[in-house]
Amino acid sequence: MSNPSTARRLTLEAVVIIASILTAFAIDTWWEGRQEDRRQEALLRAIASDVRGMQDEGARVRASWVQALDATEKVLAAGESRLTSADAPRVDSILRDLVLTPTFDAPTGALDALLRSDLGEVRGSTIVESITRLRAHLANLEREQQYLDTVAIEGWHYLATLGIDLPSLGLSWNTGRPNPVEQELSPGWSQIGDPTLRASVYTEWIYLTNCLGILDSIEAELGALEAELAAQLDS
């Protein structure tokens, strides 16, 4: 039978062992929490970078789309007018703006990583809802851009049948971008009232209007997401 001092010693040792185990568990939990916090912060900062990239990309394509939309309206209005060869430079400038319709290229790597992540705190936030809405807008824009690109390419080829090729407008056939070669005035001024051309231009006007409307929704969602990210990173 053990004496009281031995019993106290064994009890103390047991308490120390239990305390050590609990302390180890607490340290592991704390460390895992810190690791998750770091992962979360890194992912949120990467998303913030994607948001800034999309805002810059939106500003780039918006300028060209607005210019192209203005060109479609000018073509439709010019088709009702009587033009002469003196109008050739102005018409060529309009046609050049008409075919320059860049594609919105959204950086979404970090956004998609978040939707696949297991970071509970982030996944339970409104950020996921915002990103889900943003992805839906991007999918809609991608669809409308495909229609717009198809119409633009068909328009390029139809212009060629009218004797208005891209090089004559100072553009490259391969890229559709400005070409440094010296351009000559096209016969666009005499063909701008062509019914098929006007129908194509009107279709392009529809898709440009749709793309700009969706871009408005994307930019609004990006602004809200930017504010949510700032609040999460500052907390």
Side-chain angles (χ1 to χ4, degrees):
M1 185 173 181
S2 60
N3 57 42
S5 62
T6 301
R8 285 195 297 273
R9 181 173 58 80
L10 292 175
T11 300
L12 180 60
E13 288 178 355
V15 169
V16 170
I17 291 171
I18 292 171
S20 298
I21 294 172
L22 292 175
T23 300
F25 282 146
I27 291 173
D28 283 345
T29 301
W30 171 81
W31 179 252
E32 288 175 2
R34 286 203 61 187
Q35 291 294 92
E36 180 162 323
D37 287 345
R38 288 174 178 171
R39 286 175 56 207
Q40 175 178 307
E41 181 179 357
L43 184 52
L44 292 179
R45 292 193 183 282
I47 293 171
S49 178
D50 276 3
V51 167
R52 289 191 295 272
M54 276 187 270
Q55 288 171 329
D56 291 343
E57 181 70 355
R60 180 185 72 85
V61 299
R62 177 180 288 279
S64 294
W65 286 350
V66 167
Q67 199 168 15
L69 184 67
D70 182 60
T72 62
E73 294 170 352
K74 288 178 178 177
V75 168
L76 294 174
E80 304 295 335
S81 307
R82 292 189 175 184
L83 303 179
T84 68
S85 58
D87 295 299
R90 179 172 65 88
V91 172
D92 280 2
S93 177
I94 293 172
L95 292 175
R96 188 161 50 249
D97 291 339
L98 187 70
V99 299
L100 291 176
T101 53
T103 299
F104 182 87
D105 187 13
T108 61
L111 276 67
D112 294 338
L114 173 62
L115 296 178
R116 295 192 303 267
S117 78
D118 58 354
L119 294 175
E121 183 177 342
V122 177
R123 288 197 59 79
S125 72
T126 56
I127 289 179
V128 173
E129 297 175 8
S130 183
I131 289 176
T132 301
R133 289 192 299 270
L134 178 59
R135 278 316 248 131
H137 291 317
L138 290 172
N140 289 338
L141 182 59
E142 182 178 359
R143 182 192 64 244
E144 292 298 317
Q145 282 187 141
Q146 289 175 348
Y147 296 149
L148 176 60
D149 290 345
T150 299
V151 170
I153 291 172
E154 290 175 351
W156 293 356
H157 289 291
Y158 188 70
L159 284 173
T161 67
L162 299 177
I164 312 165
D165 60 9
L166 291 185
S168 71
L169 297 177
L171 301 173
S172 166
W173 262 121
N174 293 328
T175 65
R177 297 182 180 279
N179 189 10
V181 300
E182 185 176 351
Q183 68 185 76
E184 299 178 0
L185 294 177
S186 80
W189 66 271
S190 63
Q191 302 290 348
I192 205 162
D194 180 86
T196 302
L197 175 61
R198 286 170 59 79
S200 175
V201 169
Y202 179 68
T203 304
E204 183 174 345
W205 177 86
I206 292 173
Y207 290 129
L208 282 167
T209 302
N210 292 346
C211 285
L212 285 165
I214 298 170
L215 185 58
D216 286 342
S217 299
I218 289 173
E219 289 176 338
E221 201 65 64
L222 287 173
L225 181 56
E226 188 175 37
E228 293 177 60
L229 288 168
Q232 283 271 353
L233 290 169
D234 291 341
S235 62

